[in-house]
Amino acid sequence: MRKIGLYSMLGLFTIISIFPFYWMIIGATNESGKMFTNPPTLKPGDQFMTNLQNLNASIDLGRVFFNSVFVSVVYVIVALMVCSTAAYALSKFEFKGRNAIFTTLLLSMMIPYQATLIPLFQLMSNFNLLDTYFALIVPQLCFPFAIFLLRQNFLAFPTELIEAARLDGAGEMRIFLTIVLPSMKPAMAAAAIFLFMTQWNNFMWPLVATTSNEMATLPVALSSLIGLSIIDYGQVMMGVTIATIPIIVFFLALQRHFISGMLGSAVK
Amino acid sequence: MKTNKSLPYLFIAPALLLFALFTIYPIFSSFILSFQSMEGGKYVFTGLSNYTRLLGDDIFWKALGNTGIILIVQVPVMILLALLLANALNSQLLRLKGFFRVSFFLPAVTSLVAYSILFSIILQDEGIMNTILGFFGINAIQWLGDPFWAKVSIIVAMTWRWTGYNMVIFLAALQSLSHEVYEAADLDGANRIQKFFHVTVPQLKPVILFATILSTIGTLQLFDEPFNLTKGGPADSTMTLGLYIYQNGFKYFDFGYASAIAYVVVLLVGILTFFQFKFTGDKS
């Protein structure tokens, strides 16, 4: 009996979690009005192409999608380099100021993003960097949570292996790249997913840092759609779907790494 | 082993340089900016004028109140729900654990903008939410058009988005707890509910604190949801501090005033974090 109760509760919460995604697909494949019928339309419709074309007419879909992918991918690659080398130094070397640096990084996670927003905007504006990929990618490359997550994992790497490699005369960069990093793949994957999701979903900074439609990212372009006086819900739902499906597929493919990586850092 | 003294600094230099330029500098710069106002096309020091202006600004107080209400209602509801779900998923006998875990986490993967827009369509007067309520004989609710229900809408949406995220954090902590304590509780004849409140929750205290602080910081910065779901309306009933900072900064280009509000948020994060540590008596 108790089990039935448990499964029905979990089942109910599963429906609540998943239903909005299903509704999103219904919306993306039906015409605008079908979202507001009683009884509700629960079957996918045949307006997929029409909604896609309408969306493409409202925003430069290809360009905006490319912007999001390009910015996210480049960001993840460079941020991983910046954060993993920092995490390595913070976990495997003794040096002056190490604790102070680590504490400052951690404390900065508590500073609301909005407290840095305006000076960042002014900085980019003064150097004429607004509306560039540079402005979208560079300011958040040093991501304290990613450094924290990687450091937790690097701490577990046996220091003896590093010392043995040094005795063999290997250079420090080589040790890091060929001995430490290869065994840190799960941690790097977790950090990569986290960084990718953060950048792909980022809204406030791209909203402020981009001024032209050509440089908009998907969330910014989506948000502009609901600012119009007459809203075509079919194309809006198509936009929401295009912003959501890639990140879900990406997550489902790598969720094992992600959840274990997140877990490792959250509890220790 | 002797290593080159400058070596660790070389490894950490790129991160530090970026951190100094794009985090430390802006934090100080916006602090200074909060004491400045635009006069004749230039920023000049005007002392506490931005802060005294806040005292008489009705919209600011409204934003502060709204953010406070959302915080007080949403965070505890979500944390409790996340704990219950994590506790259920940690049960030894449960099947399909992986499926449930991924389903509950899925909302946390989507972009804040995408889900806000999705909810704004679901919660329309003629939307699916009201249609479903109709099946149960409940009259249609003006989710986004009524000041009270607009706040509820934001809370519902945030809870949908973040509960699974916190659940995963709790689940990890639960899995690292020892079985012995539960066996001892079984011997003492404790039931499920007693075990949850007297064994599980106390042991998870540091993790609950961690999740609560993260959620508090997140809620104090609330921006994407009101921006896309309600635009702060109706009648500023969902205006948040985050949205008000954006409006003052990038609609009215009053950077000094916006920075002053941002520093109110910084202060609030500091105070609330301090009290959360104090109340839970956790010193680590």
Side-chain angles (χ1 to χ4, degrees):
Chain A
M1 268 320 281
R2 184 167 269 157
K3 258 191 154 172
I4 298 174
L6 182 65
Y7 279 106
S8 355
M9 181 190 90
L10 293 175
L12 178 70
F13 279 107
T14 304
I15 293 171
I16 295 173
S17 291
I18 303 294
F19 182 76
F21 294 115
Y22 180 73
W23 188 242
M24 173 182 91
I25 308 282
I26 299 295
T29 54
N30 275 300
E31 43 198 274
S32 205
K34 286 275 176 70
M35 264 161 274
F36 307 103
T37 55
N38 190 1
T41 315
L42 289 174
K43 276 198 305 238
D46 55 4
Q47 297 298 301
F48 181 89
M49 281 319 287
T50 316
N51 287 332
L52 190 61
Q53 278 159 3
N54 288 342
L55 178 66
N56 194 35
S58 304
I59 58 174
D60 190 346
L61 190 60
R63 171 80 198 216
V64 168
F65 191 80
F66 169 80
N67 287 345
S68 268
V69 172
F70 178 76
V71 166
S72 303
V73 170
V74 174
Y75 173 77
V76 169
I77 293 168
V78 186
L80 270 186
M81 293 197 262
V82 170
C83 295
S84 65
T85 46
Y88 181 59
L90 287 169
S91 61
K92 290 295 169 200
F93 293 107
E94 295 279 347
F95 60 96
K96 228 188 197 160
R98 185 177 83 160
N99 290 338
I101 291 171
F102 186 57
T103 313
T104 312
L105 283 172
L106 283 188
L107 280 178
S108 77
M109 281 160 49
M110 287 178 48
I111 299 285
Y113 188 55
Q114 285 132 3
T116 62
L117 190 68
I118 288 167
L120 271 182
F121 174 81
Q122 288 177 319
L123 204 62
M124 292 300 157
S125 159
N126 289 341
F127 288 98
N128 271 326
L129 288 167
L130 285 179
D131 229 24
T132 62
Y133 289 123
F134 183 91
L136 289 173
I137 294 170
V138 176
Q140 290 159 87
L141 281 176
C142 172
F143 205 97
F145 182 74
I147 295 178
F148 175 70
L149 192 153
L150 289 168
R151 179 183 165 273
Q152 295 296 107
N153 286 284
F154 283 152
L155 282 175
F157 186 86
T159 311
E160 300 82 45
L161 280 181
I162 300 172
E163 281 168 2
R166 271 188 203 135
L167 283 177
D168 290 343
E172 292 294 336
M173 210 56 206
R174 222 184 102 199
I175 295 176
F176 177 64
L177 291 175
T178 61
I179 296 171
V180 181
L181 274 193
S183 71
M184 288 295 147
K185 269 184 199 151
M188 294 291 277
I193 303 167
F194 182 82
L195 290 165
F196 186 86
M197 290 204 311
T198 307
Q199 187 62 267
W200 179 265
N201 292 334
N202 195 4
F203 176 58
M204 199 177 195
W205 175 244
L207 178 70
V208 168
T210 63
T211 47
S212 70
N213 292 334
E214 287 85 62
M215 288 306 294
T217 57
L218 261 174
V220 176
L222 266 186
S223 184
S224 74
L225 283 180
I226 54 163
L228 304 172
S229 51
I230 299 167
I231 302 174
D232 174 358
Y233 291 103
Q235 59 165 288
V236 172
M237 284 297 228
M238 176 56 75
V240 171
T241 307
I242 289 173
T244 306
I245 297 292
I247 194 84
I248 288 186
V249 171
F250 183 72
F251 167 73
L252 288 180
L254 295 165
Q255 53 102 3
R256 248 166 216 291
H257 292 304
F258 182 64
I259 290 185
S260 68
M262 285 283 292
L263 298 186
S265 67
V267 200
K268 278 171 202 162
Chain B
M1 253 345 276
K2 241 182 76 143
T3 54
N4 189 341
K5 269 222 155 65
S6 61
L7 188 73
Y9 297 105
L10 285 178
F11 271 96
I12 206 169
L16 276 191
L17 198 70
L18 290 161
F19 185 68
L21 200 56
F22 298 116
T23 305
I24 301 290
Y25 162 75
I27 288 172
F28 283 109
S29 175
S30 78
F31 185 66
I32 293 168
L33 203 55
S34 76
F35 298 104
Q36 294 181 326
S37 295
M38 183 76 99
E39 268 171 27
K42 266 171 56 186
Y43 279 96
V44 290
F45 272 94
T46 51
L48 288 169
S49 77
N50 286 321
Y51 290 95
T52 48
R53 187 178 145 197
L54 281 177
L55 295 175
D57 181 347
D58 289 343
I59 303 180
F60 165 73
W61 288 108
K62 223 166 173 180
L64 187 66
N66 293 336
T67 309
I69 292 170
I70 294 171
L71 184 75
I72 290 168
V73 178
Q74 198 267 333
V75 174
V77 167
M78 173 183 68
I79 296 287
L80 192 67
L81 205 58
L83 266 174
L84 286 172
L85 290 176
N87 200 45
L89 287 198
N90 197 41
S91 155
Q92 305 270 309
L93 304 164
L94 188 77
R95 282 153 187 266
L96 298 171
K97 268 184 218 180
F99 168 76
F100 286 127
R101 197 180 60 190
V102 169
S103 310
F104 298 156
F105 192 79
L106 216 48
V109 172
T110 56
S111 92
L112 294 169
V113 171
Y115 102 89
S116 301
I117 293 174
L118 190 56
F119 269 70
S120 78
I121 296 172
I122 290 174
L123 295 173
Q124 302 261 324
D125 289 349
E126 312 279 312
I128 180 99
M129 182 69 132
N130 277 339
T131 315
I132 293 171
L133 291 179
F135 288 137
F136 297 100
I138 302 169
N139 285 336
I141 292 170
Q142 264 202 303
W143 290 99
L144 303 172
D146 177 87
F148 172 79
W149 290 108
K151 277 201 238 339
V152 175
S153 299
I154 301 260
I155 290 171
V156 167
M158 288 173 76
T159 308
W160 180 81
R161 171 67 161 64
W162 289 106
T163 302
Y165 183 86
N166 288 291
M167 181 204 72
V168 166
I169 294 176
F170 293 147
L171 196 55
L174 279 174
Q175 284 165 359
S176 65
L177 294 186
S178 77
H179 289 292
E180 285 151 33
V181 206
Y182 287 97
E183 281 157 19
D186 281 334
L187 285 178
D188 290 342
N191 65 30
R192 240 157 226 268
I193 296 164
Q194 282 169 329
K195 271 192 282 188
F196 178 71
F197 282 106
H198 296 288
V199 183
T200 308
V201 172
Q203 288 202 82
L204 287 191
K205 223 164 75 174
V207 183
I208 296 173
L209 178 68
F210 170 83
T212 309
I213 290 175
L214 279 190
S215 304
T216 303
I217 297 173
T219 306
L220 285 172
Q221 302 183 58
L222 190 60
F223 170 74
D224 296 26
E225 288 92 338
F227 187 89
N228 290 298
L229 198 54
T230 56
K231 305 215 168 358
D236 294 327
S237 63
T238 53
M239 176 65 79
T240 58
L241 293 169
L243 188 54
Y244 200 42
I245 292 169
Y246 174 82
Q247 284 196 349
N248 277 294
F250 297 98
K251 218 161 122 188
Y252 314 130
F253 289 96
D254 194 342
F255 287 163
Y257 195 49
S259 297
I261 308 168
Y263 262 85
V264 171
V265 178
V266 172
L267 192 70
L268 284 174
V269 168
I271 293 172
L272 287 177
T273 308
F274 173 78
F275 276 110
Q276 280 164 354
F277 270 108
K278 193 125 185 138
F279 273 126
T280 50
D282 194 281
K283 285 188 186 67
S284 61

